[in-house]
Amino acid sequence: MDIQKMCKSLPKIELHAHLNGSLSTETLKKLHRLHNPNDNNYPEIFSLGEKEFLDENGKPVPPLRLCFQTFAAIQKLTITSESLYLATCEVIREFSEDNVIYLELRSTPRKVEGLLTKVEYIEAIILAIKECAKKYPTILVKLLISVDRKQGCQNAEENIDLAIKFMKKYPSYIVGIDLSGEPTMGDAFLHLLETSREAGLKIAAHCAEVPNEEEIMRILNFKPDRLGHCTCVHPNLKGSEKLFNELLKSKIPVELCLTSNVKCETVPSYALHQFKYYYEAGHPICIATDDKGVFDTTLSAEFEIICNQFGCEKHDLIKLSKSAVSYSFASEEEKVKLLSIIEQHQ
Ligand code: 6MZ
């Protein structure tokens, strides 16, 4: 079997997927039609790398900045319960078609004046997850509530309060908090994340997408359950010996999103991606898509990349998937079931 087919056919575990960043072009078109039934002029939202964008001074917008502008454009299409429901169902369907058997979606609750409250935002996603459990029974889906570092303390507090309330109401769906948002802005709100940890929510925190030794150390000392990216940690990637050793010592699993980092240009190339350092050091890692819509990727494609770039083979991918199960926020019973599905493919 060729690598592409092998990667597609493997049962996979996705632990790092932002809802709005995961919307495919096909889904964005459906959402545009939903809000504008009489307008066939679909707004141009490009995949990163397709086109160069210029700022007001005629200079190219750096890709990392551009991707956050793209999220803002996409978020204009998920402004009602109906559109969020549709968006969530489409994302679940597409991951399921890629043979993902466990998906942790994450999303930032958003209030849209006159159209949507944060409570309705979360309810719409949960309803979609519930309905999709019947429609696509081969994929198990959970939700992490995101805190956007750029949106300030009040929003962070609101989202964490809601996550705690919803976790009590829907303990099988709401499993954790994600700290994300434009990495050059805002704050990590670790004191607030502590409240959610005490309430029983798991924590996945973006860390070191850009160099910032002081903040990276604070996040590592906080000991989240998982870390996202950890790009600028190794000395060859604008980190330091100290940071790298601290991370290895912590043994905190790292979610690696290769295409996202290459397209955002936080790493120079696939070959020089931090995957190499963590994999060689035997540090716990999992492979993820981040924003499969914006970065035009799939989890199978990410698996293919590590096969082609780093010589991983089928048994390595199965090993990675099995360890991803153990890093997931699923229940112990669910983990046993997921492992047995993966083992059947050995
Ligand atoms: C940090 C990211 C991200 O929440 O509206 N997000 N945060 N780094 C990244 N690397 C590229 N990719 C996505 O999905 C979109 C939001 O997810 C976060 C950003 O806050 C973005 O606005 P939701 O569903």
Side-chain angles (χ1 to χ4, degrees), residues 16 18-21 64 67-68 71-72 75 106-110 121 146-148 178-183 206 209 229 260-261 264 290-291 295:
H16 188 133
H18 299 271
L19 175 63
N20 280 284
L64 186 61
C67 100
F68 285 88
F71 297 137
Q75 283 157 350
R106 43 185 83 190
S107 196
T108 326
R110 205 168 357 106
Y121 187 104
S146 302
V147 167
D148 183 339
D178 153 58
L179 168 71
S180 55
E182 201 157 347
H206 283 58
E209 267 182 291
H229 303 290
S260 161
N261 299 148
C264 286
D290 206 5
D291 300 285
F295 302 122

PDB file of all heavy atoms in Angstrom, residues 16 18-21 64 67-68 71-72 75 106-110 121 146-148 178-183 206 209 229 260-261 264 290-291 295, ligand 1:
ATOM      1  N   HIS A  16      -5.877  18.502  18.525  1.00  0.00           N
ATOM      2  CA  HIS A  16      -5.692  19.958  18.444  1.00  0.00           C
ATOM      3  C   HIS A  16      -6.356  20.484  17.169  1.00  0.00           C
ATOM      4  O   HIS A  16      -5.723  20.553  16.106  1.00  0.00           O
ATOM      5  CB  HIS A  16      -4.188  20.297  18.457  1.00  0.00           C
ATOM      6  CG  HIS A  16      -3.884  21.762  18.573  1.00  0.00           C
ATOM      7  ND1 HIS A  16      -2.945  22.276  19.453  1.00  0.00           N
ATOM      8  CD2 HIS A  16      -4.370  22.839  17.920  1.00  0.00           C
ATOM      9  CE1 HIS A  16      -2.886  23.587  19.334  1.00  0.00           C
ATOM     10  NE2 HIS A  16      -3.741  23.957  18.395  1.00  0.00           N
ATOM     11  N   HIS A  18      -9.030  23.693  16.053  1.00  0.00           N
ATOM     12  CA  HIS A  18      -9.884  24.856  16.346  1.00  0.00           C
ATOM     13  C   HIS A  18     -11.070  24.824  15.397  1.00  0.00           C
ATOM     14  O   HIS A  18     -10.882  24.728  14.172  1.00  0.00           O
ATOM     15  CB  HIS A  18      -9.107  26.152  16.122  1.00  0.00           C
ATOM     16  CG  HIS A  18      -7.893  26.291  17.001  1.00  0.00           C
ATOM     17  ND1 HIS A  18      -7.943  26.871  18.247  1.00  0.00           N
ATOM     18  CD2 HIS A  18      -6.599  25.920  16.814  1.00  0.00           C
ATOM     19  CE1 HIS A  18      -6.735  26.862  18.791  1.00  0.00           C
ATOM     20  NE2 HIS A  18      -5.890  26.287  17.940  1.00  0.00           N
ATOM     21  N   LEU A  19     -12.267  24.940  15.950  1.00  0.00           N
ATOM     22  CA  LEU A  19     -13.467  24.789  15.118  1.00  0.00           C
ATOM     23  C   LEU A  19     -13.461  25.724  13.897  1.00  0.00           C
ATOM     24  O   LEU A  19     -13.548  25.261  12.752  1.00  0.00           O
ATOM     25  CB  LEU A  19     -14.726  25.030  15.966  1.00  0.00           C
ATOM     26  CG  LEU A  19     -16.030  25.018  15.179  1.00  0.00           C
ATOM     27  CD1 LEU A  19     -16.281  23.674  14.538  1.00  0.00           C
ATOM     28  CD2 LEU A  19     -17.198  25.392  16.080  1.00  0.00           C
ATOM     29  N   ASN A  20     -13.367  27.034  14.121  1.00  0.00           N
ATOM     30  CA  ASN A  20     -13.498  27.952  12.977  1.00  0.00           C
ATOM     31  C   ASN A  20     -12.341  27.829  11.988  1.00  0.00           C
ATOM     32  O   ASN A  20     -12.525  28.040  10.792  1.00  0.00           O
ATOM     33  CB  ASN A  20     -13.683  29.394  13.461  1.00  0.00           C
ATOM     34  CG  ASN A  20     -15.122  29.646  13.887  1.00  0.00           C
ATOM     35  OD1 ASN A  20     -16.002  29.809  13.059  1.00  0.00           O
ATOM     36  ND2 ASN A  20     -15.365  29.624  15.188  1.00  0.00           N
ATOM     37  N   GLY A  21     -11.174  27.468  12.475  1.00  0.00           N
ATOM     38  CA  GLY A  21     -10.040  27.277  11.568  1.00  0.00           C
ATOM     39  C   GLY A  21     -10.131  25.973  10.786  1.00  0.00           C
ATOM     40  O   GLY A  21      -9.385  25.751   9.837  1.00  0.00           O
ATOM     41  N   LEU A  64       1.858  34.676   9.978  1.00  0.00           N
ATOM     42  CA  LEU A  64       1.234  34.398  11.285  1.00  0.00           C
ATOM     43  C   LEU A  64       0.130  35.426  11.566  1.00  0.00           C
ATOM     44  O   LEU A  64      -0.951  35.082  12.045  1.00  0.00           O
ATOM     45  CB  LEU A  64       2.294  34.411  12.400  1.00  0.00           C
ATOM     46  CG  LEU A  64       1.816  33.992  13.791  1.00  0.00           C
ATOM     47  CD1 LEU A  64       1.285  32.567  13.808  1.00  0.00           C
ATOM     48  CD2 LEU A  64       2.922  34.128  14.838  1.00  0.00           C
ATOM     49  N   CYS A  67      -2.904  34.771   9.270  1.00  0.00           N
ATOM     50  CA  CYS A  67      -3.808  33.671   9.615  1.00  0.00           C
ATOM     51  C   CYS A  67      -4.816  34.135  10.661  1.00  0.00           C
ATOM     52  O   CYS A  67      -5.968  33.725  10.613  1.00  0.00           O
ATOM     53  CB  CYS A  67      -3.045  32.399   9.947  1.00  0.00           C
ATOM     54  SG  CYS A  67      -2.809  32.013  11.635  1.00  0.00           S
ATOM     55  N   PHE A  68      -4.434  35.053  11.539  1.00  0.00           N
ATOM     56  CA  PHE A  68      -5.413  35.554  12.515  1.00  0.00           C
ATOM     57  C   PHE A  68      -6.436  36.482  11.859  1.00  0.00           C
ATOM     58  O   PHE A  68      -7.597  36.518  12.262  1.00  0.00           O
ATOM     59  CB  PHE A  68      -4.707  36.195  13.718  1.00  0.00           C
ATOM     60  CG  PHE A  68      -4.118  35.134  14.608  1.00  0.00           C
ATOM     61  CD1 PHE A  68      -2.830  34.649  14.391  1.00  0.00           C
ATOM     62  CD2 PHE A  68      -4.882  34.557  15.601  1.00  0.00           C
ATOM     63  CE1 PHE A  68      -2.320  33.622  15.165  1.00  0.00           C
ATOM     64  CE2 PHE A  68      -4.381  33.524  16.377  1.00  0.00           C
ATOM     65  CZ  PHE A  68      -3.092  33.056  16.165  1.00  0.00           C
ATOM     66  N   PHE A  71      -8.944  34.066  10.425  1.00  0.00           N
ATOM     67  CA  PHE A  71      -9.918  33.561  11.413  1.00  0.00           C
ATOM     68  C   PHE A  71     -11.040  34.582  11.607  1.00  0.00           C
ATOM     69  O   PHE A  71     -12.211  34.216  11.681  1.00  0.00           O
ATOM     70  CB  PHE A  71      -9.257  33.310  12.780  1.00  0.00           C
ATOM     71  CG  PHE A  71      -8.194  32.248  12.760  1.00  0.00           C
ATOM     72  CD1 PHE A  71      -6.985  32.418  13.431  1.00  0.00           C
ATOM     73  CD2 PHE A  71      -8.405  31.065  12.077  1.00  0.00           C
ATOM     74  CE1 PHE A  71      -6.019  31.442  13.404  1.00  0.00           C
ATOM     75  CE2 PHE A  71      -7.422  30.072  12.045  1.00  0.00           C
ATOM     76  CZ  PHE A  71      -6.225  30.276  12.707  1.00  0.00           C
ATOM     77  N   ALA A  72     -10.667  35.853  11.685  1.00  0.00           N
ATOM     78  CA  ALA A  72     -11.684  36.890  11.915  1.00  0.00           C
ATOM     79  C   ALA A  72     -12.693  36.909  10.757  1.00  0.00           C
ATOM     80  O   ALA A  72     -13.897  37.057  10.984  1.00  0.00           O
ATOM     81  CB  ALA A  72     -11.009  38.251  12.082  1.00  0.00           C
ATOM     82  N   GLN A  75     -14.937  33.848  11.126  1.00  0.00           N
ATOM     83  CA  GLN A  75     -15.864  33.951  12.269  1.00  0.00           C
ATOM     84  C   GLN A  75     -17.100  34.781  11.930  1.00  0.00           C
ATOM     85  O   GLN A  75     -18.130  34.653  12.583  1.00  0.00           O
ATOM     86  CB  GLN A  75     -15.122  34.525  13.483  1.00  0.00           C
ATOM     87  CG  GLN A  75     -14.229  33.459  14.145  1.00  0.00           C
ATOM     88  CD  GLN A  75     -13.089  34.034  14.951  1.00  0.00           C
ATOM     89  OE1 GLN A  75     -12.813  35.232  14.903  1.00  0.00           O
ATOM     90  NE2 GLN A  75     -12.390  33.185  15.695  1.00  0.00           N
ATOM     91  N   ARG A 106     -11.893  22.448  19.703  1.00  0.00           N
ATOM     92  CA  ARG A 106     -11.804  23.552  20.658  1.00  0.00           C
ATOM     93  C   ARG A 106     -12.387  24.784  19.996  1.00  0.00           C
ATOM     94  O   ARG A 106     -12.247  24.966  18.777  1.00  0.00           O
ATOM     95  CB  ARG A 106     -10.358  23.780  21.110  1.00  0.00           C
ATOM     96  CG  ARG A 106      -9.351  23.718  19.999  1.00  0.00           C
ATOM     97  CD  ARG A 106      -7.915  23.820  20.482  1.00  0.00           C
ATOM     98  NE  ARG A 106      -7.347  22.575  20.941  1.00  0.00           N
ATOM     99  CZ  ARG A 106      -6.174  22.492  21.578  1.00  0.00           C
ATOM    100  NH1 ARG A 106      -5.463  23.572  21.807  1.00  0.00           N
ATOM    101  NH2 ARG A 106      -5.703  21.322  21.969  1.00  0.00           N
ATOM    102  N   SER A 107     -13.051  25.627  20.780  1.00  0.00           N
ATOM    103  CA  SER A 107     -13.609  26.846  20.179  1.00  0.00           C
ATOM    104  C   SER A 107     -13.826  27.925  21.228  1.00  0.00           C
ATOM    105  O   SER A 107     -14.076  27.633  22.393  1.00  0.00           O
ATOM    106  CB  SER A 107     -14.935  26.526  19.467  1.00  0.00           C
ATOM    107  OG  SER A 107     -15.266  27.594  18.605  1.00  0.00           O
ATOM    108  N   THR A 108     -13.719  29.187  20.776  1.00  0.00           N
ATOM    109  CA  THR A 108     -13.846  30.348  21.655  1.00  0.00           C
ATOM    110  C   THR A 108     -15.288  30.836  21.636  1.00  0.00           C
ATOM    111  O   THR A 108     -15.746  31.346  20.604  1.00  0.00           O
ATOM    112  CB  THR A 108     -12.950  31.512  21.140  1.00  0.00           C
ATOM    113  OG1 THR A 108     -11.759  30.950  20.556  1.00  0.00           O
ATOM    114  CG2 THR A 108     -12.596  32.473  22.234  1.00  0.00           C
ATOM    115  N   PRO A 109     -16.032  30.713  22.753  1.00  0.00           N
ATOM    116  CA  PRO A 109     -17.413  31.206  22.759  1.00  0.00           C
ATOM    117  C   PRO A 109     -17.451  32.696  22.421  1.00  0.00           C
ATOM    118  O   PRO A 109     -16.624  33.469  22.905  1.00  0.00           O
ATOM    119  CB  PRO A 109     -17.877  30.966  24.201  1.00  0.00           C
ATOM    120  CG  PRO A 109     -16.927  29.982  24.771  1.00  0.00           C
ATOM    121  CD  PRO A 109     -15.634  30.163  24.043  1.00  0.00           C
ATOM    122  N   ARG A 110     -18.395  33.051  21.580  1.00  0.00           N
ATOM    123  CA  ARG A 110     -18.455  34.426  21.070  1.00  0.00           C
ATOM    124  C   ARG A 110     -19.873  34.963  21.176  1.00  0.00           C
ATOM    125  O   ARG A 110     -20.823  34.268  20.843  1.00  0.00           O
ATOM    126  CB  ARG A 110     -18.022  34.393  19.597  1.00  0.00           C
ATOM    127  CG  ARG A 110     -17.470  35.646  19.058  1.00  0.00           C
ATOM    128  CD  ARG A 110     -16.801  35.464  17.688  1.00  0.00           C
ATOM    129  NE  ARG A 110     -16.724  34.143  17.140  1.00  0.00           N
ATOM    130  CZ  ARG A 110     -17.480  33.711  16.121  1.00  0.00           C
ATOM    131  NH1 ARG A 110     -18.367  34.497  15.562  1.00  0.00           N
ATOM    132  NH2 ARG A 110     -17.338  32.467  15.663  1.00  0.00           N
ATOM    133  N   TYR A 121     -23.853  29.830  21.867  1.00  0.00           N
ATOM    134  CA  TYR A 121     -22.694  29.382  21.069  1.00  0.00           C
ATOM    135  C   TYR A 121     -22.309  27.959  21.475  1.00  0.00           C
ATOM    136  O   TYR A 121     -22.181  27.059  20.650  1.00  0.00           O
ATOM    137  CB  TYR A 121     -21.532  30.355  21.314  1.00  0.00           C
ATOM    138  CG  TYR A 121     -20.305  30.153  20.455  1.00  0.00           C
ATOM    139  CD1 TYR A 121     -20.029  31.001  19.385  1.00  0.00           C
ATOM    140  CD2 TYR A 121     -19.387  29.125  20.711  1.00  0.00           C
ATOM    141  CE1 TYR A 121     -18.894  30.836  18.596  1.00  0.00           C
ATOM    142  CE2 TYR A 121     -18.260  28.947  19.931  1.00  0.00           C
ATOM    143  CZ  TYR A 121     -18.017  29.810  18.879  1.00  0.00           C
ATOM    144  OH  TYR A 121     -16.891  29.640  18.097  1.00  0.00           O
ATOM    145  N   SER A 146     -12.250  27.506  24.538  1.00  0.00           N
ATOM    146  CA  SER A 146     -11.016  28.288  24.374  1.00  0.00           C
ATOM    147  C   SER A 146     -11.079  29.627  25.091  1.00  0.00           C
ATOM    148  O   SER A 146     -12.130  30.272  25.164  1.00  0.00           O
ATOM    149  CB  SER A 146     -10.738  28.553  22.888  1.00  0.00           C
ATOM    150  OG  SER A 146     -10.628  27.341  22.190  1.00  0.00           O
ATOM    151  N   VAL A 147      -9.910  30.033  25.558  1.00  0.00           N
ATOM    152  CA  VAL A 147      -9.704  31.379  26.089  1.00  0.00           C
ATOM    153  C   VAL A 147      -8.753  32.059  25.120  1.00  0.00           C
ATOM    154  O   VAL A 147      -7.662  31.546  24.864  1.00  0.00           O
ATOM    155  CB  VAL A 147      -9.074  31.299  27.500  1.00  0.00           C
ATOM    156  CG1 VAL A 147      -8.563  32.651  27.940  1.00  0.00           C
ATOM    157  CG2 VAL A 147     -10.070  30.734  28.502  1.00  0.00           C
ATOM    158  N   ASP A 148      -9.200  33.182  24.562  1.00  0.00           N
ATOM    159  CA  ASP A 148      -8.366  33.911  23.595  1.00  0.00           C
ATOM    160  C   ASP A 148      -7.507  34.919  24.366  1.00  0.00           C
ATOM    161  O   ASP A 148      -8.045  35.836  25.010  1.00  0.00           O
ATOM    162  CB  ASP A 148      -9.283  34.622  22.586  1.00  0.00           C
ATOM    163  CG  ASP A 148      -8.505  35.339  21.496  1.00  0.00           C
ATOM    164  OD1 ASP A 148      -7.303  35.643  21.707  1.00  0.00           O
ATOM    165  OD2 ASP A 148      -9.098  35.618  20.448  1.00  0.00           O
ATOM    166  N   ASP A 178      -8.819  25.413  26.523  1.00  0.00           N
ATOM    167  CA  ASP A 178      -7.689  25.645  25.614  1.00  0.00           C
ATOM    168  C   ASP A 178      -7.273  27.099  25.757  1.00  0.00           C
ATOM    169  O   ASP A 178      -8.117  27.990  25.697  1.00  0.00           O
ATOM    170  CB  ASP A 178      -8.146  25.344  24.176  1.00  0.00           C
ATOM    171  CG  ASP A 178      -7.375  26.112  23.119  1.00  0.00           C
ATOM    172  OD1 ASP A 178      -6.146  25.976  23.065  1.00  0.00           O
ATOM    173  OD2 ASP A 178      -8.011  26.851  22.322  1.00  0.00           O
ATOM    174  N   LEU A 179      -5.999  27.325  25.979  1.00  0.00           N
ATOM    175  CA  LEU A 179      -5.494  28.701  25.955  1.00  0.00           C
ATOM    176  C   LEU A 179      -4.896  28.921  24.571  1.00  0.00           C
ATOM    177  O   LEU A 179      -3.951  28.228  24.179  1.00  0.00           O
ATOM    178  CB  LEU A 179      -4.415  28.905  27.029  1.00  0.00           C
ATOM    179  CG  LEU A 179      -3.648  30.219  26.882  1.00  0.00           C
ATOM    180  CD1 LEU A 179      -4.510  31.418  27.252  1.00  0.00           C
ATOM    181  CD2 LEU A 179      -2.373  30.207  27.718  1.00  0.00           C
ATOM    182  N   SER A 180      -5.478  29.875  23.823  1.00  0.00           N
ATOM    183  CA  SER A 180      -4.967  30.107  22.461  1.00  0.00           C
ATOM    184  C   SER A 180      -5.066  31.586  22.106  1.00  0.00           C
ATOM    185  O   SER A 180      -5.159  32.427  22.991  1.00  0.00           O
ATOM    186  CB  SER A 180      -5.732  29.239  21.462  1.00  0.00           C
ATOM    187  OG  SER A 180      -7.119  29.456  21.571  1.00  0.00           O
ATOM    188  N   GLY A 181      -5.047  31.901  20.827  1.00  0.00           N
ATOM    189  CA  GLY A 181      -5.093  33.295  20.377  1.00  0.00           C
ATOM    190  C   GLY A 181      -3.737  33.752  19.889  1.00  0.00           C
ATOM    191  O   GLY A 181      -2.721  33.056  20.068  1.00  0.00           O
ATOM    192  N   GLU A 182      -3.739  34.935  19.277  1.00  0.00           N
ATOM    193  CA  GLU A 182      -2.529  35.466  18.653  1.00  0.00           C
ATOM    194  C   GLU A 182      -1.382  35.499  19.682  1.00  0.00           C
ATOM    195  O   GLU A 182      -1.467  36.204  20.690  1.00  0.00           O
ATOM    196  CB  GLU A 182      -2.825  36.858  18.091  1.00  0.00           C
ATOM    197  CG  GLU A 182      -1.848  37.250  17.039  1.00  0.00           C
ATOM    198  CD  GLU A 182      -2.400  38.325  16.097  1.00  0.00           C
ATOM    199  OE1 GLU A 182      -3.624  38.594  16.101  1.00  0.00           O
ATOM    200  OE2 GLU A 182      -1.583  38.895  15.349  1.00  0.00           O
ATOM    201  N   PRO A 183      -0.314  34.731  19.414  1.00  0.00           N
ATOM    202  CA  PRO A 183       0.694  34.514  20.467  1.00  0.00           C
ATOM    203  C   PRO A 183       1.511  35.747  20.831  1.00  0.00           C
ATOM    204  O   PRO A 183       2.141  35.766  21.893  1.00  0.00           O
ATOM    205  CB  PRO A 183       1.599  33.425  19.868  1.00  0.00           C
ATOM    206  CG  PRO A 183       1.357  33.448  18.402  1.00  0.00           C
ATOM    207  CD  PRO A 183      -0.023  33.978  18.191  1.00  0.00           C
ATOM    208  N   HIS A 206      -1.493  26.646  24.457  1.00  0.00           N
ATOM    209  CA  HIS A 206      -0.524  26.975  23.412  1.00  0.00           C
ATOM    210  C   HIS A 206       0.722  27.530  24.085  1.00  0.00           C
ATOM    211  O   HIS A 206       0.615  28.308  25.032  1.00  0.00           O
ATOM    212  CB  HIS A 206      -1.089  28.046  22.466  1.00  0.00           C
ATOM    213  CG  HIS A 206      -2.082  27.514  21.495  1.00  0.00           C
ATOM    214  ND1 HIS A 206      -3.228  26.876  21.868  1.00  0.00           N
ATOM    215  CD2 HIS A 206      -2.083  27.521  20.135  1.00  0.00           C
ATOM    216  CE1 HIS A 206      -3.898  26.509  20.783  1.00  0.00           C
ATOM    217  NE2 HIS A 206      -3.235  26.892  19.719  1.00  0.00           N
ATOM    218  N   GLU A 209       4.807  29.525  20.501  1.00  0.00           N
ATOM    219  CA  GLU A 209       4.679  29.679  19.041  1.00  0.00           C
ATOM    220  C   GLU A 209       5.626  30.769  18.561  1.00  0.00           C
ATOM    221  O   GLU A 209       6.048  30.782  17.414  1.00  0.00           O
ATOM    222  CB  GLU A 209       3.235  30.079  18.673  1.00  0.00           C
ATOM    223  CG  GLU A 209       2.332  28.916  18.343  1.00  0.00           C
ATOM    224  CD  GLU A 209       0.943  29.362  17.944  1.00  0.00           C
ATOM    225  OE1 GLU A 209       0.214  29.871  18.813  1.00  0.00           O
ATOM    226  OE2 GLU A 209       0.591  29.216  16.759  1.00  0.00           O
ATOM    227  N   HIS A 229       2.137  23.182  20.184  1.00  0.00           N
ATOM    228  CA  HIS A 229       3.236  23.688  19.350  1.00  0.00           C
ATOM    229  C   HIS A 229       4.638  23.564  19.980  1.00  0.00           C
ATOM    230  O   HIS A 229       5.489  22.874  19.476  1.00  0.00           O
ATOM    231  CB  HIS A 229       2.999  25.140  18.898  1.00  0.00           C
ATOM    232  CG  HIS A 229       1.726  25.322  18.145  1.00  0.00           C
ATOM    233  ND1 HIS A 229       1.556  24.810  16.883  1.00  0.00           N
ATOM    234  CD2 HIS A 229       0.553  25.918  18.471  1.00  0.00           C
ATOM    235  CE1 HIS A 229       0.336  25.097  16.460  1.00  0.00           C
ATOM    236  NE2 HIS A 229      -0.304  25.766  17.413  1.00  0.00           N
ATOM    237  N   SER A 260       0.734  23.822   9.876  1.00  0.00           N
ATOM    238  CA  SER A 260       0.403  25.118  10.461  1.00  0.00           C
ATOM    239  C   SER A 260       1.683  25.921  10.715  1.00  0.00           C
ATOM    240  O   SER A 260       1.797  27.088  10.337  1.00  0.00           O
ATOM    241  CB  SER A 260      -0.355  24.894  11.770  1.00  0.00           C
ATOM    242  OG  SER A 260      -0.323  26.037  12.574  1.00  0.00           O
ATOM    243  N   ASN A 261       2.671  25.298  11.334  1.00  0.00           N
ATOM    244  CA  ASN A 261       3.908  26.022  11.668  1.00  0.00           C
ATOM    245  C   ASN A 261       4.699  26.402  10.418  1.00  0.00           C
ATOM    246  O   ASN A 261       5.273  27.491  10.346  1.00  0.00           O
ATOM    247  CB  ASN A 261       4.785  25.195  12.613  1.00  0.00           C
ATOM    248  CG  ASN A 261       4.114  24.871  13.931  1.00  0.00           C
ATOM    249  OD1 ASN A 261       4.347  23.826  14.525  1.00  0.00           O
ATOM    250  ND2 ASN A 261       3.237  25.752  14.411  1.00  0.00           N
ATOM    251  N   CYS A 264       2.737  29.241   8.710  1.00  0.00           N
ATOM    252  CA  CYS A 264       2.829  30.495   9.482  1.00  0.00           C
ATOM    253  C   CYS A 264       4.272  30.994   9.553  1.00  0.00           C
ATOM    254  O   CYS A 264       4.552  32.041  10.126  1.00  0.00           O
ATOM    255  CB  CYS A 264       2.299  30.303  10.897  1.00  0.00           C
ATOM    256  SG  CYS A 264       0.526  30.174  10.964  1.00  0.00           S
ATOM    257  N   ASP A 290      -4.445  21.529  13.725  1.00  0.00           N
ATOM    258  CA  ASP A 290      -4.581  22.917  14.152  1.00  0.00           C
ATOM    259  C   ASP A 290      -5.808  23.568  13.506  1.00  0.00           C
ATOM    260  O   ASP A 290      -6.826  23.768  14.151  1.00  0.00           O
ATOM    261  CB  ASP A 290      -3.308  23.724  13.822  1.00  0.00           C
ATOM    262  CG  ASP A 290      -3.097  24.909  14.737  1.00  0.00           C
ATOM    263  OD1 ASP A 290      -3.886  25.054  15.682  1.00  0.00           O
ATOM    264  OD2 ASP A 290      -2.134  25.669  14.528  1.00  0.00           O
ATOM    265  N   ASP A 291      -5.696  23.898  12.226  1.00  0.00           N
ATOM    266  CA  ASP A 291      -6.771  24.574  11.491  1.00  0.00           C
ATOM    267  C   ASP A 291      -6.793  23.986  10.088  1.00  0.00           C
ATOM    268  O   ASP A 291      -6.204  24.549   9.155  1.00  0.00           O
ATOM    269  CB  ASP A 291      -6.467  26.076  11.413  1.00  0.00           C
ATOM    270  CG  ASP A 291      -6.366  26.706  12.795  1.00  0.00           C
ATOM    271  OD1 ASP A 291      -7.405  26.913  13.429  1.00  0.00           O
ATOM    272  OD2 ASP A 291      -5.233  26.994  13.244  1.00  0.00           O
ATOM    273  N   PHE A 295      -5.238  25.977   6.794  1.00  0.00           N
ATOM    274  CA  PHE A 295      -3.939  25.480   6.322  1.00  0.00           C
ATOM    275  C   PHE A 295      -4.064  24.396   5.266  1.00  0.00           C
ATOM    276  O   PHE A 295      -3.066  23.795   4.865  1.00  0.00           O
ATOM    277  CB  PHE A 295      -3.098  24.988   7.516  1.00  0.00           C
ATOM    278  CG  PHE A 295      -2.860  26.061   8.543  1.00  0.00           C
ATOM    279  CD1 PHE A 295      -3.241  25.910   9.863  1.00  0.00           C
ATOM    280  CD2 PHE A 295      -2.266  27.265   8.172  1.00  0.00           C
ATOM    281  CE1 PHE A 295      -3.039  26.917  10.795  1.00  0.00           C
ATOM    282  CE2 PHE A 295      -2.055  28.281   9.088  1.00  0.00           C
ATOM    283  CZ  PHE A 295      -2.445  28.104  10.409  1.00  0.00           C
TER     284      PHE A 295
HETATM  285  C1  6MZ B   1      -3.082  30.314  18.491  1.00  0.00           C
HETATM  286  C2  6MZ B   1      -4.999  29.803  17.335  1.00  0.00           C
HETATM  287  C3  6MZ B   1      -4.223  29.215  16.293  1.00  0.00           C
HETATM  288  O1  6MZ B   1     -11.987  29.430  18.521  1.00  0.00           O
HETATM  289  O2  6MZ B   1     -13.131  30.665  16.686  1.00  0.00           O
HETATM  290  N1  6MZ B   1      -6.292  29.702  16.985  1.00  0.00           N
HETATM  291  N2  6MZ B   1      -4.410  30.332  18.415  1.00  0.00           N
HETATM  292  N3  6MZ B   1      -2.287  29.803  17.535  1.00  0.00           N
HETATM  293  C4  6MZ B   1      -2.816  29.245  16.418  1.00  0.00           C
HETATM  294  N4  6MZ B   1      -1.954  28.802  15.465  1.00  0.00           N
HETATM  295  C5  6MZ B   1      -2.086  29.044  14.096  1.00  0.00           C
HETATM  296  N5  6MZ B   1      -5.071  28.727  15.375  1.00  0.00           N
HETATM  297  C6  6MZ B   1      -6.334  29.030  15.810  1.00  0.00           C
HETATM  298  O3  6MZ B   1     -11.222  29.116  16.153  1.00  0.00           O
HETATM  299  C7  6MZ B   1     -10.346  30.127  15.707  1.00  0.00           C
HETATM  300  C8  6MZ B   1      -9.530  30.663  16.868  1.00  0.00           C
HETATM  301  O4  6MZ B   1      -8.627  29.647  17.328  1.00  0.00           O
HETATM  302  C9  6MZ B   1      -7.407  30.236  17.791  1.00  0.00           C
HETATM  303  C10 6MZ B   1      -7.532  31.737  17.580  1.00  0.00           C
HETATM  304  O5  6MZ B   1      -7.968  32.345  18.787  1.00  0.00           O
HETATM  305  C11 6MZ B   1      -8.611  31.822  16.513  1.00  0.00           C
HETATM  306  O6  6MZ B   1      -9.299  33.061  16.502  1.00  0.00           O
HETATM  307  P1  6MZ B   1     -12.477  29.376  17.105  1.00  0.00           P
HETATM  308  O7  6MZ B   1     -13.371  28.195  16.837  1.00  0.00           O
END
